[in-house]
Amino acid sequence: MTNNAIDLRLTGVRRWLYVRGAPAVLLLSIAPLWLVGNNATALGVRIPNQDAFAIARANAFAATADNPSAIYYNPAGITQLDGQNVQLGSLFYLGIYADYESPSGVSVHNEAEVLPAPTLYYTYTPKDLPFSFGLGVYEPFGFSVKWPETAPFRNEAIEGSLSYVTINPVAAWKVAPTLSLSVGPTFNYSEMKLRQGAAVPVPGAELEFSGHNWSYGFNGGILWQPHPKWSLGASYRSASRMNYEGSASLYPSPPLPSLGSTSARFDYPQIVIGGVSYRPNTNWNIEVNVDWADWSSVQNLTIKGVANRELDWESSFMYEVGVTRNLWRGYYLGLGYFYSQSSTPNRLYTPLVADTDLHIGSLGAGYKGARWSWGVALQLIGGTWRNVVVDSTAVDPQVNGKYRLFTPTLSFSLGYRF
């Protein structure tokens, strides 16, 4: 909350300053809400879970990358796939449970819901050629959360949802029998809807913003197997910028004025993943990955017609370790764990950012046959209490308190080779 926003609240918001037909106080109110919708967990609204086989092993898959979901994890891996392969699946968040406890002991819980994140992958490797091609449709970012209207921080956050879908064609080249490279463009479409209490002297007043737009980027990867038991993989996803075009509404209207179109800019981070896989024999695959997201590139939230809002996010790592045990007749079991660092500073914390260091455990099972394959995975995401004391010149002090997050997920995938 800027000094101007504080002044407007204290004077009853009688001085309306218009920017492209919308009161400046409205846009100043949108800033914390927009922040909320775009960094809802320590994963930075990342959805790193893109395939049941990989999820079962805690997404430690960059150096294995041997099914069509490699398009996301490490597209160089698609050179390991013969003929044509198609795979569909989905991750289901079985409720994102966020808890808040105020300094005075008041407890608030968000309203949990089931949230799907579907995927579709296709790969094609022509015979007698060192090239492979693929197309992926997936959600690398996304979130939805809703707090009750009675939450003490109502003017900072009530509800936020984000969808971000990527269409990702790729091409891979097997440079040598043990070395593959890949690159491809990403076409990204995103929608945002955000709601919070409005900083105006009208009981029950609410502010809502919704917007959408396209952005573009690229991803690439490398896969190297220097020894039959060892393989190394790395992938890169470029940063992208969304210039959300949309509208803002203020309720009730009347007596509050109707509002018009506006826009907001947000930068999504570049991501680097590296991993090492060890196969002591044909029955075991053990892999360790390090995943880095450059959230430090997000320093400000830019809303057209309003001064930038300071965010000051921090780069964060995920450390992943996973194991797959092959059983009889194509069946397998998977087990994994990864740790995710928080990425937002205490002083700019907002209630839809249930952001804390997270511990994630997963297990799964499935089948890989000559034609058909399937997998299921269960994952538990949880963190310890995080004690927050915000900068009162930037965020409403009602945000102060303790926050905790718990999320179970269930995933499935189904593949066919022809």
Side-chain angles (χ1 to χ4, degrees), residues 61 88 99 126 138 148 150 159 188 199 220 240 256 302 348 376 390 413:
F61 193 55
L88 58 85
D99 297 318
Y138 52 85
T150 56
E159 183 179 6
N188 312 302
S240 64
L256 298 176
T302 302
L348 298 172
V376 294
V390 301
S413 62

Side-chain angles (χ1 to χ4, degrees), residues 60-334:
F61 193 55
T64 300
D66 59 357
N67 71 35
S69 71
I71 293 170
Y72 171 83
Y73 291 97
N74 181 1
I78 67 173
T79 59
Q80 302 176 93
L81 308 176
D82 297 327
Q84 300 183 70
N85 295 264
V86 63
Q87 178 178 302
L88 58 85
S90 185
L91 165 76
F92 292 92
Y93 288 100
L94 305 178
I96 298 175
Y97 301 93
D99 297 318
Y100 164 75
E101 185 175 308
S102 73
S104 63
V106 175
S107 296
V108 178
H109 311 283
N110 74 312
E111 300 177 18
E113 59 180 321
V114 175
L115 304 171
T119 60
L120 174 65
Y121 301 102
Y122 169 78
T123 67
Y124 172 55
T125 301
K127 289 184 178 180
D128 304 321
L129 288 177
F131 300 103
S132 299
F133 306 93
L135 177 66
V137 182
Y138 52 85
E139 295 187 59
F141 304 98
F143 196 72
S144 180
V145 71
K146 183 178 181 181
W147 289 101
E149 298 278 353
T150 56
F153 43 73
R154 181 179 183 275
N155 283 348
E156 282 292 324
I158 297 176
E159 183 179 6
S161 64
L162 165 72
S163 62
Y164 186 111
V165 178
T166 292
I167 303 171
N168 184 192
V170 297
W173 175 30
K174 183 174 281 189
V175 181
T178 61
L179 179 64
S180 296
L181 305 173
S182 180
V183 69
T186 59
F187 305 93
N188 312 302
Y189 177 76
S190 181
E191 293 182 354
M192 173 70 69
K193 183 177 180 180
L194 306 162
R195 186 166 65 94
Q196 71 174 61
V200 295
V202 176
E206 290 187 1
L207 172 67
E208 184 176 293
F209 170 81
S210 61
H212 61 91
N213 215 328
W214 287 86
S215 71
Y216 310 95
F218 69 93
N219 71 332
I222 180 171
L223 185 66
W224 180 42
Q225 188 174 14
H227 185 276
K229 293 184 178 182
W230 292 90
S231 63
L232 295 86
S235 65
Y236 175 80
R237 180 174 302 274
S238 71
S240 64
R241 172 173 292 176
M242 281 288 178
N243 292 300
Y244 289 92
E245 298 290 340
S247 62
S249 302
L250 198 58
Y251 302 103
S253 178
L256 298 176
S258 60
L259 303 170
S261 62
T262 186
S263 62
R265 189 187 76 197
F266 190 81
D267 294 308
Y268 290 86
Q270 62 178 334
I271 298 168
V272 180
I273 306 173
V276 179
S277 171
Y278 174 60
R279 299 173 177 87
N281 54 53
T282 58
N283 290 330
W284 292 91
N285 183 334
I286 305 166
E287 183 166 338
V288 176
N289 280 192
V290 176
D291 180 312
W292 174 73
D294 187 20
W295 288 111
S296 67
S297 63
V298 183
Q299 294 297 309
N300 297 280
L301 170 66
T302 302
I303 302 175
K304 192 170 184 179
V306 181
N308 290 348
R309 163 70 184 271
E310 182 186 6
L311 302 183
D312 195 24
W313 292 357
E314 302 164 352
S315 296
S316 60
F317 285 90
M318 290 187 285
Y319 303 97
E320 306 160 340
V321 57
V323 179
T324 300
R325 174 64 162 92
N326 294 319
L327 305 174
W328 62 94
R329 298 182 180 180
Y331 292 94
Y332 68 83
L333 295 174

